[in-house]
């Protein structure tokens, strides 16, 4: 098990207000366009961003381009980590439902571009969410 | 020798020398002591055992150990164990706490952190994988928990797992806790004061590697899901957490401390989980890392325009900072609990001392002249002031900051009374306030000998019981604290053992757990407790006993007049010691020590017997 290599990260800036942070598959995929080595591509079936470990140089241009600063790096991995939707069967969702929290669900990708608003750095989400429950 | 579930490596930090290094622990040592509490006991014994009696828990020669166990990170739920020579009991207390630091230590490549020496100026320890730094904490010193969390976050630029102390630890209050994540405390033992004595404000650990390899992966995964499913099905516990104890223990089993344990029963519906959920919970459930149970709930209360947040209040906080102080107004109990968290006080130990103080005041053993103000049951304002005075050692707070036992001795001295005259109101065992589960109604889980024969005194998470080779025995808690499993996510012992074996590849049997491994840990803890010192020394003939209050019949509730007798307690203790292979004073026999491979303890125990006059 390797917690920091997980492609979903939970931040908690306020007690009881955890923020799951992961790739939301932007309709325009700014990370893919930003990558100078073409290490990133879009899975035609799931819409997930796929990383080619052999091409990634860890230049972090994708992180810069990502509205949520999602792509992760960790010790011992020579490439960025981005959620690949487990090729259609998300393990995180399975685990979350198994324990009965049901905080994560698989949904159909909405067609509008509004979805991009969900890609936010965790600090910002925390501020909004925290304000809601703590004020 | 290949090792699974642990790295076989600790991070060692010497604050006097300002140096850090790595320390190897042999795989055989893990096999003998498991990890967590067991490993702490071994390390403390090895290094300080020969001079134990003279080691000042608050001096630089004491060590602070922060240890994970082989199950940390693998078994659902998360804990680590803080230890050292306890400034409360003079022995070794394994003090468990939920913290992200637990898995972070392991993913940084260590099984734990050992802190030796003391810094001259305030520092914090920063670990990021191989990078270890002792950093200046002069700007953090003095900060309370909430402020500190924010300051650390802005200093580091992100949220990082940390353990820390509040002002209480800085001021060497013996009931100070090591804190984590706002409301989490390693309270028993008083290790917040040990951190304070080392001028160590916080320990921040960011690990980014994998957990150590497991021996049998498939079996481990199968067991992991088995445990997850079992634990996730504990729906009552998930919905109510331990808060339901305020009704279950306070009303049904009649074993909750009320006004310094004068009573153990109440029927106040407003002081129940049902009422609390409706009015105060703003987030339910709330879980620690990797936990399928989620026993925590975030509560919020506004008192006099000030907003307070805390967890629950969970049962122990509600009992000790509520009913034990005669306070049944939940908003104010939440406020006291939040305050204890923020000041870095153990709510159990501090609530125990505060209840004791109010009773002394009521009896005229301390007066307004001593305290500076009136002490009254249920009066939030004087209680809040008293708690702050303890954390900052202001006025009479300085006496109470020594904890219930030492405060009792001091009050007796000031009143020219024999200490028994004050100690009879002190509901503690061997320097440790008794947890909020009484024994008089006989309906709650602790047996009549639970505390009197425990190697961790009044600690309700480590209770003694008969038979000695069953889950009733303290060996069972010693085991969970050594493998390091949260007691709320633990399942039947057989499965936990299987889990341990799948992760470590050991093949420990129940027999080995009770006759060897667990007994070895418990025996060493017992020896160190009896060695004690420098300011306390426990005599088994006097101190292996309950607080006197527990021999008074219950005055109210469904079990009115229920009582335990001292004869019964002493007989059961004798039987328990016999089953463990200890003599009638609870000192492990030479034969037992040799069987456990504790050869170097043989001579120490001989000296101990001589000193106690029981050879
Ligand atoms: S870090 Fe890797 S994936 Fe990201 S932009 Fe650079 S090369 Fe592409
Ligand atoms: S969220 Fe970030 S990583 Fe995911 S598609 Fe958008 S830009 Fe790429
Ligand atoms: S879908 Fe799969 S890759 Fe993506 S966050 Fe969940 S578990 Fe990780
Ligand atoms: S059961 Fe409660 S205390 Fe234990 S790990 Fe889970 S949330 Fe934490």
């Amino acid at each position: 098990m390797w917690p920091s290599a997980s492609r979903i990260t939970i931040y908690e800036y306020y007690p009881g207000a955890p923020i799951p942070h992961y790739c939301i598959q932007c309709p325009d995929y700014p990370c893919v366009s930003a990558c100078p080595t073409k290490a990133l591509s879009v899975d035609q079936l799931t819409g997930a961003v796929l990383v080619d470990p052999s091409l990634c140089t860890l230049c972090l241009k994708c992180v810069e381009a990502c509205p949520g600063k999602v792509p992760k790096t960790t010790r011992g991995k020579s490439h960025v980590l981005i959620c690949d939707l487990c090729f259609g069967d998300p393990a995180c969702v399975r685990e979350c439902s198994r324990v009965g929290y049901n905080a994560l669900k698989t949904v159909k990708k909405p067609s509008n571009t509004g979805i991009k608003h969900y890609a936010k750095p965790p600090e910002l989400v925390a501020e909004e969410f925290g304000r809601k429950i703590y004020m | 020798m290949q090792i699974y579930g642990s790295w076989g490596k600790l991070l060692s930090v010497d604050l006097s020398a300002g140096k850090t290094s790595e320390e190897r622990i042999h795989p055989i040592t893990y096999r003998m002591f498991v990890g967590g509490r067991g490993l702490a006991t071994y390390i403390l014994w090895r290094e300080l055992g020969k001079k134990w009696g003279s080691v000042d828990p608050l001096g630089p020669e004491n060590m602070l150990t922060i240890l994970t166990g082989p199950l940390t990170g693998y078994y659902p739920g998360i804990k680590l164990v803080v230890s050292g020579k306890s400034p409360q009991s003079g022995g070794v207390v394994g003090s468990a706490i939920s913290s992200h630091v637990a898995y972070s230590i392991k993913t940084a490549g260590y099984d734990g952190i050992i802190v030796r020496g003391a810094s001259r100026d305030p520092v914090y320890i920063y670990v990021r994988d191989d990078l270890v730094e002792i950093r200046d904490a002069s700007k953090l010193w003095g900060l309370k928990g909430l402020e500190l969390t924010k300051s650390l976050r802005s200093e580091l630029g992100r949220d990082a797992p940390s353990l820390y102390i509040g002002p209480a630890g800085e001021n060497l209050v013996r009931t100070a806790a090591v804190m984590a994540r706002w409301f989490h405390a390693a309270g028993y033992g008083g290790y917040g004061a040990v951190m304070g004595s080392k001028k160590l404000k916080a320990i921040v650990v960011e690990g980014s590697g994998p957990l150590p390899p497991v021996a049998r992966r498939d079996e481990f995964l199968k067991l992991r899901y088995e445990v997850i499913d079992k634990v996730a099905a504990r729906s009552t516990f998930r919905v109510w957490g331990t808060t339901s104890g305020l009704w279950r223990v306070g009303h049904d089993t009649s074993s909750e401390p009320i006004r310094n344990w004068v009573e153990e029963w109440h029927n106040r519906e407003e002081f129940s989980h049902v009422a609390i959920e409706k009015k105060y919970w703003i987030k339910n459930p709330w879980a620690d890392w990797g936990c399928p149970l989620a026993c925590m709930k975030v509560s919020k209360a506004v008192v006099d325009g000030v907003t307070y947040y805390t967890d629950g209040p969970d049962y122990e906080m509600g009992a000790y900072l509520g009913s034990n102080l005669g306070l049944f107004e939940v908003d104010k109990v939440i406020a006291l609990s939040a305050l204890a968290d923020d000041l870095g006080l153990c709510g159990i130990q501090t609530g125990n001392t505060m209840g004791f103080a109010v009773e002394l005041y009521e009896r005229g053993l301390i007066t307004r002249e001593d305290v500076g103000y009136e002490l009254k049951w249920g009066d939030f304002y004087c209680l809040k002031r008293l708690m702050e005075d303890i954390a900052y050692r202001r006025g009479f707070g300085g006496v109470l900051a020594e904890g219930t036992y030492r405060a009792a001795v001091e009050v007796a001295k000031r009143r020219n009374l024999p200490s028994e005259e004050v100690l009879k109101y002190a509901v503690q065992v061997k320097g440790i306030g008794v947890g909020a589960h009484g024994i008089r109604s006989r309906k709650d889980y602790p047996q009549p000998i639970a505390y009197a024969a425990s190697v961790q005194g009044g600690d309700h998470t480590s209770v003694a019981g008969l038979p000695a080779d069953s889950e009733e025995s303290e060996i069972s808690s010693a085991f969970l604290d050594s493998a390091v499993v949260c007691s709320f996510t633990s399942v039947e012992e057989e499965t936990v053992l299987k889990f341990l074996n799948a992760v470590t590849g050991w093949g420990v049997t129940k027999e080995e757990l009770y006759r060897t491994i667990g007994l070895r840990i418990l025996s060493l803890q017992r020896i160190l407790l009896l060695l004690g010192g420098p300011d306390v020394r426990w005599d088994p003939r006097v101190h292996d006993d309950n607080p006197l209050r527990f021999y008074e019949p219950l005055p109210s509730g469904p079990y009115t007049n229920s009582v335990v007798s001292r004869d019964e307690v002493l007989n059961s203790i004798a039987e328990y010691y016999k089953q463990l292979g200890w003599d009638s004073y609870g000192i492990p026999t030479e034969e037992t020590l040799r069987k456990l491979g504790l050869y170097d303890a043989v001579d120490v125990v001989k000296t101990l017997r001589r000193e106690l006059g029981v050879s």
Side-chain angles (χ1 to χ4, degrees):
Chain A
M1 293 201 327
W2 194 339
S4 78
S6 157
R7 293 161 222 211
I8 177 168
T9 309
I10 313 296
Y11 294 89
E12 192 176 24
Y13 288 81
Y14 294 97
I19 315 289
H21 186 237
Y22 47 82
C23 167
I24 58 97
Q25 296 94 31
C26 307
D28 54 344
Y29 297 97
C31 53
V32 178
S33 351
C35 177
T37 66
K38 306 231 170 326
L40 301 182
S41 61
V42 178
D43 185 299
Q44 288 314 317
L45 213 65
T46 61
V49 177
L50 303 180
V51 184
D52 184 339
S54 65
L55 293 178
C56 177
T57 60
L58 278 180
C59 73
L60 303 190
K61 285 263 189 284
C62 55
V63 183
E64 230 170 82
C66 172
K69 308 286 165 245
V70 169
K72 266 176 83 171
T73 57
T74 193
R75 185 172 67 138
K77 295 265 181 200
S78 56
H79 54 90
V80 291
L81 300 164
I82 302 176
C83 164
D84 60 11
L85 289 176
C86 296
F87 299 100
D89 181 17
C92 52
V93 176
R94 233 185 302 132
E95 203 83 356
C96 186
S97 337
R98 179 161 194 150
V99 296
Y101 292 151
N102 302 316
L104 299 175
K105 280 194 200 82
T106 327
V107 293
K108 243 185 125 55
K109 187 171 174 179
S111 50
N112 58 25
T113 52
I115 175 186
K116 226 176 136 175
H117 293 302
Y118 287 101
K120 276 189 197 147
E123 314 83 82
L124 284 185
V125 186
E127 275 317 312
E128 287 169 15
F129 185 29
R131 218 176 295 136
K132 238 189 247 159
I133 74 165
Y134 279 93
M135 299 300 148
Chain B
M1 205 169 153
Q2 178 63 21
I3 178 166
Y4 296 100
S6 301
W7 295 111
K9 195 171 82 180
L10 305 177
L11 171 63
S12 143
V13 179
D14 183 339
L15 290 178
S16 296
K19 286 208 176 92
T20 68
S21 59
E22 279 177 10
E23 208 167 304
R24 295 259 152 210
I25 299 288
H26 199 278
I28 300 272
T29 307
Y30 282 87
R31 187 72 169 76
M32 288 179 75
F33 293 93
V34 188
R37 192 209 286 196
L39 186 59
T41 307
Y42 163 78
I43 291 172
L44 289 160
W45 164 255
R46 183 192 64 185
E47 215 159 310
L48 303 175
K50 295 266 142 51
K51 51 176 177 182
W52 190 260
S54 66
V55 172
D56 176 4
L58 300 179
E61 65 276 34
N62 194 10
M63 297 154 71
L64 179 76
T65 64
I66 312 283
L67 296 174
T68 67
L71 291 189
T72 303
Y74 300 111
Y75 192 94
I78 191 92
K79 295 272 169 186
L80 58 78
V81 171
V82 182
S83 198
K85 181 169 179 180
S86 162
Q88 290 170 359
S89 72
V92 174
V93 174
S95 200
I97 177 172
S98 288
S99 165
H100 291 53
V101 169
Y103 76 81
S104 234
I105 287 180
K106 270 190 149 171
T107 59
Y110 308 102
D111 299 327
I113 303 177
I114 309 280
V115 185
R116 296 181 179 80
S119 173
R120 232 187 32 200
D121 304 310
V123 290
Y124 76 95
I125 296 172
Y126 178 79
V127 181
R128 188 181 172 90
D129 297 326
D130 302 333
L131 172 80
V132 185
E133 289 176 351
I134 301 170
R135 294 183 174 174
D136 172 41
S138 49
K139 288 205 191 74
L140 304 174
W141 202 250
L143 293 186
K144 293 188 229 168
L146 295 175
E147 296 163 338
L148 177 75
T149 310
K150 277 193 212 143
S151 300
L152 267 178
R153 186 185 295 153
S154 61
E155 180 162 334
L156 300 166
R158 63 189 169 272
D159 229 359
S162 62
L163 296 168
Y164 55 86
I165 54 169
E170 295 174 11
N171 298 324
L172 311 186
V173 174
R174 283 186 202 260
T175 62
V178 174
M179 304 293 301
R181 226 177 152 217
W182 306 289
F183 318 137
H184 291 58
Y188 281 114
Y191 297 110
V194 174
M195 260 178 93
S197 73
K198 301 192 174 308
K199 284 270 183 338
L200 179 58
K201 182 67 177 174
I203 299 176
V204 181
V205 186
E206 295 185 288
S208 65
L211 292 169
V214 300
R216 296 194 291 272
R217 197 187 139 80
D218 292 345
E219 194 188 336
F220 151 66
L221 284 174
K222 204 184 115 254
L223 283 163
R224 187 167 165 275
Y225 283 112
E226 192 183 317
V227 171
I228 285 179
D229 290 347
K230 257 191 206 142
V231 171
R234 293 176 180 166
S235 48
T236 322
F237 205 68
R238 175 181 292 178
V239 175
W240 302 112
T242 63
T243 307
S244 62
L246 291 175
W247 188 255
R248 199 174 39 76
V249 182
H251 180 269
D252 299 350
T253 64
S254 180
S255 47
E256 174 169 331
I258 294 170
R259 286 178 288 270
N260 201 32
W261 295 89
V262 166
E263 289 180 78
E264 298 186 20
W265 178 77
H266 74 82
N267 62 350
R268 295 171 182 252
E269 283 171 23
E270 76 277 17
F271 202 63
S272 70
H273 49 304
V274 183
I276 293 174
E277 179 193 30
K278 257 200 228 132
K279 254 179 115 169
Y280 301 103
W281 286 353
I282 57 168
K283 178 71 196 295
N284 177 22
W286 183 34
D288 288 312
W289 187 86
C291 179
L293 183 49
C295 72
M296 303 182 298
K297 289 89 198 46
V298 184
S299 56
K300 167 181 168 175
V302 181
V303 179
D304 299 333
V306 182
T307 311
Y308 297 94
Y309 300 98
T310 196
D311 159 40
D314 64 33
Y315 170 65
E316 291 287 327
M317 291 304 97
Y320 256 120
L321 298 174
S323 58
N324 191 53
L325 306 177
L327 184 65
F328 291 91
E329 296 160 82
V330 175
D331 55 339
K332 293 175 177 149
V333 178
I334 290 175
L336 282 187
S337 170
L339 204 64
D341 294 337
D342 215 20
L343 293 165
L345 283 167
C346 166
I348 301 176
Q349 297 300 302
T350 312
N352 179 285
T353 306
M354 288 166 67
F356 167 71
V358 180
E359 180 169 355
L360 291 192
Y361 194 99
E362 212 182 24
R363 294 182 179 275
L365 284 162
I366 55 174
T367 63
R368 202 189 176 106
E369 258 110 83
D370 300 302
V371 186
Y373 44 93
E374 205 182 335
L375 292 183
K376 271 196 302 210
W377 296 119
D379 179 339
F380 172 69
Y381 301 96
C382 76
L383 295 169
K384 175 171 179 275
R385 191 165 165 192
L386 190 66
M387 185 186 273
E388 285 164 341
D389 285 350
I390 291 174
Y392 290 100
R393 283 187 176 272
R394 282 193 296 245
F396 194 69
V399 175
L400 299 177
E402 290 294 301
T404 306
Y405 176 81
R406 290 170 177 82
V409 174
E410 174 64 21
V411 168
K413 208 165 98 197
R414 291 186 182 190
R415 285 277 169 278
N416 266 321
L417 290 168
S419 51
E420 302 81 64
E421 285 306 303
V422 184
L423 274 170
K424 63 184 177 197
Y425 307 116
V427 187
Q428 58 80 40
V429 176
K430 301 190 185 73
I432 297 187
V434 173
H437 291 273
I439 56 174
R440 285 184 277 180
S441 72
R442 297 172 193 267
K443 296 296 167 201
D444 205 343
Y445 74 87
Q447 294 186 9
I449 64 165
Y451 307 110
S454 163
V455 296
Q456 305 201 156
D459 187 341
H460 76 287
T461 67
S462 186
V463 294
L466 285 162
D469 61 351
S470 75
E471 289 185 48
E472 291 291 314
S473 153
E474 196 175 8
I475 288 181
S476 179
S477 328
F479 168 59
L480 289 183
D481 281 354
S482 301
V484 188
V485 170
C486 171
S487 50
F488 301 140
T489 58
S490 73
V491 296
E492 64 299 336
E493 203 161 72
E494 206 191 319
T495 308
V496 182
L497 266 180
K498 269 198 224 154
F499 208 116
L500 179 73
N501 290 330
V503 169
T504 59
W506 284 343
V508 175
T509 59
K510 185 174 174 227
E511 162 89 12
E512 187 185 356
L513 168 61
Y514 282 98
R515 298 315 322 168
T516 316
I517 299 184
L519 184 58
R520 181 184 291 127
I521 297 168
L522 211 65
S523 298
L524 266 192
Q525 270 193 288
R526 174 71 181 173
I527 292 169
L528 291 169
L529 179 67
L530 292 182
L531 288 173
D535 66 331
V536 287
R537 191 79 196 253
W538 312 115
D539 184 331
R541 290 159 295 197
V542 181
H543 299 109
D544 285 356
D545 201 355
N546 279 308
L548 279 187
R549 177 125 303 153
F550 285 2
Y551 296 128
E552 297 167 12
L554 284 178
S556 59
Y559 306 105
T560 303
N561 289 328
S562 181
V563 75
V564 296
S565 78
R566 179 181 261 137
D567 279 350
E568 175 194 356
V569 169
L570 296 185
N571 286 336
S572 302
I573 291 179
E575 175 60 25
Y576 179 65
Y577 289 165
K578 198 169 109 204
Q579 291 185 12
L580 288 173
W582 297 355
D583 70 11
S584 58
Y585 304 101
I587 303 173
T589 62
E590 189 171 330
E591 190 196 338
T592 301
L593 290 173
R594 290 191 189 282
K595 221 173 58 200
L596 298 173
L598 299 173
Y599 305 104
D600 51 349
V602 172
D603 282 343
V604 176
V605 160
K606 270 188 196 138
T607 316
L608 181 64
R609 282 212 177 83
R610 208 169 37 243
E611 284 170 10
L612 284 167
V614 299
S615 47

